[in-house]
Amino acid sequence: MYKVLLILKYLRRRYIAWVSLVAVALCTALVIIVISVMGGWLRMFRQSFHGLQGDILVQGQSLSGFPYYEEMVRRIEELPGVGPGCAAPVIHTYGLLSIAGIQTSGVQVLGYPIDKIGNVNNFDTSLYRQSIACRQAAEQLKDPKLPAPQRAIDQALVAAPATRPSFKLLPRQATAPLSRLPAEIAKLPQLSGAEVGYDPVAKQLAWKSADWIHEPIEELLLSRSSDAEYQKAVKQLVYASKWEAVDYAGLTKVGDKALRWAGMIVSTGIMGIEKDDDGQLAGRTPNEYRFAVTLTVPLIEANSAMADVGNAPHRPYWIVDDSHTGVYQNDQQTVYVPFDVIQHDLAMDIQKDDSGAEVTPARSSMIYVKVKAGYDLYAVKRQIAQIVRDVRAHQGVMIGYPVDVITWEESQKDFLGAVENEKSLVTFLMSLISVVAIMLILCIFYMIVVEKTRDIGVIKSVGATNAGVAGIFLGYGMAIGIVGSGLGLIGGYLVVHNINELHKAMGRWLGIQIWRPKVYMFDIIPNTMNPKEVAVIIAVAIVSAVIGSLLPAVLAAWKNPVEALRWE
Amino acid sequence: MGVNMPSIPMSDGRPVTGAASVPPSAPPGTAILRARGVRRSFQMGDAVVTVLKGADLVVRGGEFVAIEGRSGSGKSTLMHLLGALDEADDGAIEYEGVDFVRMSSARRSRLRNTQFGFVFQFYHLLPELTVLENTLLAPMIQFSWLGFRSRRREFNARATELLDKLGMAHRLKHKPAQLSGGERQRVAIARALMNLPRILFADEPTGNLDLETGGQIMGLLETLHRRDGQTVVMVTHDRSIARQADRVLVLKDGKLINETLNPER
């Protein structure tokens, strides 16, 4: 009883101990913040990559892919742990994306069978036009005060796509009649693209007319007109609109073939769409989903490491949507195209000779597999590996086209391992700070023990045992740990839950940006706390405080009561 | 468990009888504490100073023994040894026939808690605790948290009554820093008596008090001894104070060399 009483009294009265209490609180808050951010980062990383890839990957070791994937897909889908539609072939390669003929950049290319991809990963939820905008529209429709024009737009958005996701163009809207083409544009001289690009008048005109300029062009193209007057006007508009980064110059050459162009979904980074200060993706233009681009991909010869760059096919696409997965590396330079289109361009479809006989079977780079809930991932992985072996053996593929069957975690093990190592390193560094706190507690408690020497003698003279005296200071240390870690928890919680706002404020007021999406791959700082991790941190803080008080407590316990009573 | 309260004078000096019961003790006259050939030295730098050179003493139940000696003669050291606060280098100290050497540290602590009470010259109250909490220190140490909580009312009643009889009832919630020297010594006596000790050790109990307050404190000790049969062992350098005891032992050259029976007793 006296221990509890004295601990409570010391806790309230010994102000010097508050320094150690603050040290424990700061250390706890610091570790909670760091571990939460690092752990959250790792969690987000895992969730995002898991969401992008599916549960199990059958992955060719070469960009040339592997054959007989259809049979593998069919047999994998027959597994009870997978099910119909839950194995999707994917082509992975790299290419050059040309936008409006004025900007070319290297991109990662993923060929998706769009009708199945939603079954195996979360790609469909990353799409703006086909998912995010629809959700936002559905939310807005709940507002009874929504203006009628906006309501109509939202209703159209929610109702429009019959199947999602898709590589189809937006449903056509009512377009402006061609007669509305302004005379100023019709009067534009025939200038070369280079000249117009630097002409301030043309630039200004293009800018002002950006909203409506594309509608007549689209109308023109979709009507398959070959009227010379229109062609001339289109050429003029194309030059004027170069600042809008639209490759309509290419469209006029292609003519009515444009209708048959494939759709492409691009990552937000390609479109210059970035999060603004409020954390919202900004930078979309009204005509974004009518942009035309050209993708060039190098041919990789079957079962070879040779790339045929000279004969690399280039194909025009319509941009039909943008994707924001939250994973920086996917959101910067990635394009998603129809599986069969890119397979054809890469000559990964069935290759036949002149007589029509199959020379090379169709190939795929990967197969994404979604495993049903409740099934053991590794058991299904073994079954899939067996299927792959069986198919290869059956088709006589003994060597070449090396294939791995791995879980999504294994596919990212290098990166996940590095992140986990970084987390461990940071945790270790934070532990060193905790050691400093322990030393601080030790010093302060030693001072308190020295200061309380006579009281120790008094307590012993009244019958307290050595263990009892040690218990006072150990309990005092524990109380410091409990209160300090409690305060640290509150501080850590407040910081973690407002970390993005604090980061923004730091950027705004101090010009400091610590969290760089390019480095950390996510454009928001993780702001959730893991209760288990927090519990461990709190426990360690309390144990640390007790450890810090251990030596002073032992010294107090072993004090000779007579010497303690005589202490001055 | 009943409240066994020694009868002690109130603050106005008028003796009263408490819930009459004396501390548990052997029949009066029976030796309860015995010291034989006790030696104790201290290392003072390079030198070894031998303070006690074979002190012998017998304390009988119900007697008031004063140990007189000059400053530095070793009387406090002897009291600490007798009270199991310190260990002798040589010789034996027995309580109820059991040598302290044969007792564990925990048992000696229990002895100090339940059988001995200490009153020091400098009061030695815990500054963070109130008067009542200081008084309750011995039972708080004796019992676990649950044990004390379950009997808290009983202990509070005993402490309050004890403090009331010592004239400190109006100071229960005060801290030691808010009390005078005499008041602090009264609280120290209340603390020492709380667990009904068989032997009350008093180390220069009036040494830090003015004459009048010191007289009051001595009056308290005398009353405890005379009315309640409390065994008191007091050390003092003041012969006039020592003479208030039944028996006066003089500590000189490390030995108890003289024994005087108080003729007034």
Side-chain angles (χ1 to χ4, degrees):
Chain A
M1 175 66 195
Y2 71 107
K3 291 192 276 277
V4 177
L5 182 69
L6 286 172
I7 288 165
L8 292 176
K9 297 274 182 183
Y10 287 169
L11 201 59
R12 285 168 52 198
R13 307 276 177 192
R14 309 314 303 173
Y15 299 128
I16 194 170
W18 290 12
V19 175
S20 48
L21 197 142
V22 170
V24 172
L26 285 176
C27 278
T28 306
L30 196 65
V31 176
I32 285 176
I33 293 165
V34 170
I35 297 291
S36 294
V37 171
M38 294 294 294
W41 181 37
L42 190 59
R43 245 185 335 274
M44 278 169 61
F45 189 85
R46 293 168 72 93
Q47 283 168 359
S48 297
F49 273 86
H50 189 188
L52 286 177
Q53 292 182 322
D55 295 319
I56 295 173
L57 283 86
V58 179
Q59 184 173 273
Q61 290 178 8
S62 165
L63 285 179
S64 60
F66 56 91
Y68 309 113
Y69 69 90
E70 297 106 321
E71 189 179 348
M72 292 177 190
V73 166
R74 182 180 57 75
R75 289 187 57 182
I76 289 169
E77 288 181 348
E78 286 171 2
L79 288 172
V82 179
C86 289
V90 172
I91 286 178
H92 176 241
T93 189
Y94 298 92
L96 292 171
L97 187 71
S98 176
I99 305 172
I102 58 170
Q103 181 188 331
T104 304
S105 52
V107 291
Q108 173 181 233
V109 183
L110 287 168
Y112 277 174
I114 201 73
D115 54 326
K116 289 178 87 175
I117 204 70
N119 298 340
V120 296
N121 67 12
N122 300 332
F123 176 70
D124 54 337
T125 61
S126 75
L127 303 177
Y128 176 74
R129 180 172 67 79
Q130 301 177 70
S131 177
I132 299 167
C134 295
R135 286 202 302 271
Q136 289 171 351
E139 276 300 310
Q140 284 183 343
L141 285 172
K142 291 176 186 171
D143 181 5
K145 295 176 183 170
L146 191 69
Q150 184 65 43
R151 181 172 291 279
I153 293 169
D154 287 347
Q155 282 171 340
L157 256 176
V158 172
T163 55
R164 294 174 182 139
S166 82
F167 283 117
K168 290 178 183 168
L169 272 170
L170 267 175
R172 282 183 61 199
Q173 305 291 317
T175 55
L178 291 175
S179 59
R180 281 182 54 188
L181 281 172
E184 291 89 345
I185 291 179
K187 288 176 189 169
L188 276 172
Q190 293 277 3
L191 298 171
S192 70
E195 284 171 315
V196 170
Y198 295 101
D199 184 288
V201 176
K203 175 184 170 187
Q204 194 180 10
L205 187 62
W207 188 257
K208 282 183 178 173
S209 59
D211 283 352
W212 54 266
I213 205 167
H214 303 283
E215 297 293 345
I217 291 171
E218 190 191 359
E219 179 72 21
L220 176 71
L221 293 167
L222 299 181
S223 66
R224 308 182 192 193
S225 171
S226 60
D227 184 276
E229 196 176 323
Y230 286 164
Q231 292 285 359
K232 182 182 173 187
V234 166
K235 282 181 183 174
Q236 289 171 338
L237 285 168
V238 164
Y239 289 140
S241 63
K242 282 230 169 184
W243 287 93
E244 282 295 292
V246 185
D247 188 14
Y248 288 115
L251 302 192
T252 57
K253 292 172 193 166
V254 176
D256 60 355
K257 289 181 185 173
L259 271 182
R260 294 195 290 273
W261 289 358
M264 172 187 280
I265 295 168
V266 295
S267 56
T268 46
I270 289 174
M271 303 305 294
I273 300 165
E274 290 177 346
K275 288 207 170 177
D276 59 14
D277 287 346
D278 297 325
Q280 301 298 316
L281 286 167
R284 287 190 177 86
T285 63
N287 303 297
E288 180 188 318
Y289 309 123
R290 291 172 196 142
F291 279 12
V293 293
T294 305
L295 178 67
T296 308
V297 285
L299 282 170
I300 310 290
E301 291 176 16
N303 200 16
S304 165
M306 298 296 289
D308 186 357
V309 179
N311 292 315
H314 51 274
R315 174 188 286 272
Y317 288 86
W318 290 109
I319 292 178
V320 297
D321 208 339
D322 67 76
S323 159
H324 186 79
T325 62
V327 179
Y328 186 82
Q329 67 182 40
N330 273 45
D331 291 341
Q332 286 306 105
Q333 296 293 322
T334 304
V335 297
Y336 306 88
V337 293
F339 178 84
D340 51 347
V341 172
I342 194 71
Q343 188 185 40
H344 174 73
D345 285 352
L346 290 169
M348 290 174 77
D349 52 355
I350 297 172
Q351 300 296 303
K352 297 176 179 173
D353 60 14
D354 294 340
S355 65
E358 183 179 306
V359 179
T360 314
R363 286 169 288 138
S364 173
S365 307
M366 294 182 281
I367 301 173
Y368 287 177
V369 182
K370 179 73 177 176
V371 176
K372 284 180 186 169
Y375 281 84
D376 179 21
L377 196 64
Y378 289 90
V380 176
K381 178 191 151 185
R382 283 192 293 274
Q383 292 171 335
I384 292 173
Q386 186 59 47
I387 288 171
V388 170
R389 276 194 297 272
D390 291 349
V391 170
R392 285 167 65 85
H394 181 252
Q395 298 292 349
V397 184
M398 303 311 290
I399 54 169
Y401 303 115
V403 175
D404 294 322
V405 179
I406 51 177
T407 65
W408 70 272
E409 265 184 317
E410 288 165 344
S411 77
Q412 299 295 330
K413 67 179 178 187
D414 290 343
F415 205 90
L416 284 173
V419 175
E420 276 169 358
N421 281 346
E422 193 169 339
K423 187 183 173 192
S424 302
L425 181 67
V426 171
T427 307
F428 173 72
L429 293 175
M430 290 299 110
S431 305
L432 288 183
I433 295 175
S434 301
V435 171
V436 175
I438 290 174
M439 296 307 292
L440 185 69
I441 292 170
L442 192 150
C443 294
I444 289 172
F445 269 57
Y446 180 77
M447 287 168 62
I448 292 172
V449 166
V450 169
E451 190 192 357
K452 287 283 157 198
T453 295
R454 190 178 287 183
D455 288 1
I456 292 165
V458 173
I459 295 165
K460 285 196 164 189
S461 75
V462 186
T465 59
N466 292 349
V469 172
I472 293 170
F473 290 95
L474 287 175
Y476 191 17
M478 186 182 281
I480 293 280
I482 291 169
V483 176
S485 58
L487 293 174
L489 173 63
I490 294 168
Y493 177 86
L494 291 175
V495 172
V496 168
H497 279 259
N498 298 292
I499 196 158
N500 286 292
E501 288 73 16
L502 288 170
H503 189 247
K504 272 182 223 156
M506 278 172 67
R508 210 160 32 236
W509 297 333
L510 305 172
I512 299 170
Q513 190 193 12
I514 300 169
W515 183 270
R516 293 184 183 280
K518 196 176 281 185
V519 176
Y520 295 104
M521 292 181 293
F522 297 102
D523 41 24
I524 59 161
I525 306 173
N527 61 350
T528 53
M529 286 162 55
N530 181 333
K532 282 183 187 170
E533 285 176 350
V534 169
V536 170
I537 293 165
I538 297 285
V540 170
I542 294 170
V543 170
S544 299
V546 173
I547 290 172
S549 63
L550 186 61
L551 184 62
V554 170
L555 291 175
W558 286 101
K559 276 196 184 298
N560 181 302
V562 174
E563 288 174 12
L565 285 167
R566 285 177 174 158
W567 181 264
E568 287 178 8
Chain B
M1 182 177 165
V3 178
N4 299 326
M5 190 56 54
S7 60
I8 45 182
M10 291 182 74
S11 52
D12 58 4
R14 181 168 53 88
V16 293
T17 304
S21 174
V22 291
S25 61
T30 307
I32 52 175
L33 188 65
R34 188 185 297 274
R36 277 196 291 255
V38 173
R39 297 177 67 85
R40 183 73 169 101
S41 304
F42 294 98
Q43 190 80 35
M44 307 287 274
D46 292 335
V48 175
V49 178
T50 304
V51 179
L52 298 175
K53 300 172 182 172
D56 299 302
L57 169 73
V58 174
V59 177
R60 296 178 183 83
E63 72 173 342
F64 188 165
V65 182
I67 299 168
E68 184 197 333
R70 287 183 298 184
S71 294
S73 61
K75 50 190 188 302
S76 289
T77 300
L78 179 61
M79 195 201 82
H80 292 146
L81 291 169
L82 295 173
L85 281 168
D86 199 3
E87 292 177 36
D89 297 332
D90 199 7
I93 303 170
E94 293 173 0
Y95 177 74
E96 297 273 335
V98 181
D99 195 335
F100 283 174
V101 176
R102 290 167 54 199
M103 293 183 188
S104 66
S105 171
R107 191 173 167 192
R108 286 201 300 275
S109 295
R110 202 158 53 245
L111 206 64
R112 291 196 296 271
N113 183 243
T114 58
Q115 306 294 307
F116 300 160
F118 293 91
V119 177
F120 300 102
Q121 180 181 354
F122 295 103
Y123 333 120
H124 290 332
L125 300 177
L126 299 182
E128 285 85 5
L129 305 189
T130 64
V131 164
L132 184 62
E133 288 163 345
N134 263 293
T135 308
L136 287 167
L137 195 56
M140 281 199 283
I141 289 172
Q142 185 182 3
F143 293 95
S144 67
W145 188 80
L146 278 176
F148 184 85
R149 295 284 297 181
S150 65
R151 299 170 65 177
R152 195 173 66 170
R153 283 188 179 183
E154 178 189 330
F155 292 134
N156 275 352
R158 184 194 297 178
T160 307
E161 192 174 354
L162 200 52
L163 288 165
D164 182 29
K165 287 174 179 172
L166 287 164
M168 294 298 295
H170 61 301
R171 297 285 211 178
L172 296 183
K173 299 288 179 191
H174 286 69
K175 295 283 170 59
Q178 298 167 303
L179 305 178
S180 69
E183 287 175 322
R184 291 183 202 185
Q185 197 61 297
R186 285 167 187 267
V187 177
I189 291 171
R191 181 181 67 192
L193 294 174
M194 187 64 202
N195 264 6
L196 303 169
R198 289 191 66 185
I199 303 174
L200 180 66
F201 292 99
D203 185 2
E204 301 272 18
T206 61
N208 214 32
L209 301 173
D210 60 63
L211 200 61
E212 185 183 345
T213 313
Q216 288 174 0
I217 296 300
M218 282 310 298
L220 279 170
L221 294 179
E222 254 192 273
T223 308
L224 281 168
H225 163 61
R226 260 197 267 165
R227 294 199 177 272
D228 304 321
Q230 176 69 55
T231 307
V232 180
V233 176
M234 179 181 71
V235 298
T236 178
H237 67 282
D238 189 332
R239 182 157 295 178
S240 63
I241 297 286
R243 281 181 180 167
Q244 296 182 44
D246 296 339
R247 195 155 61 98
V248 180
L249 302 168
V250 178
L251 185 63
K252 193 173 182 184
D253 297 330
K255 291 186 176 181
L256 289 165
I257 58 169
N258 196 10
E259 186 168 338
T260 311
L261 291 175
N262 192 340
E264 295 173 11
R265 305 272 168 167

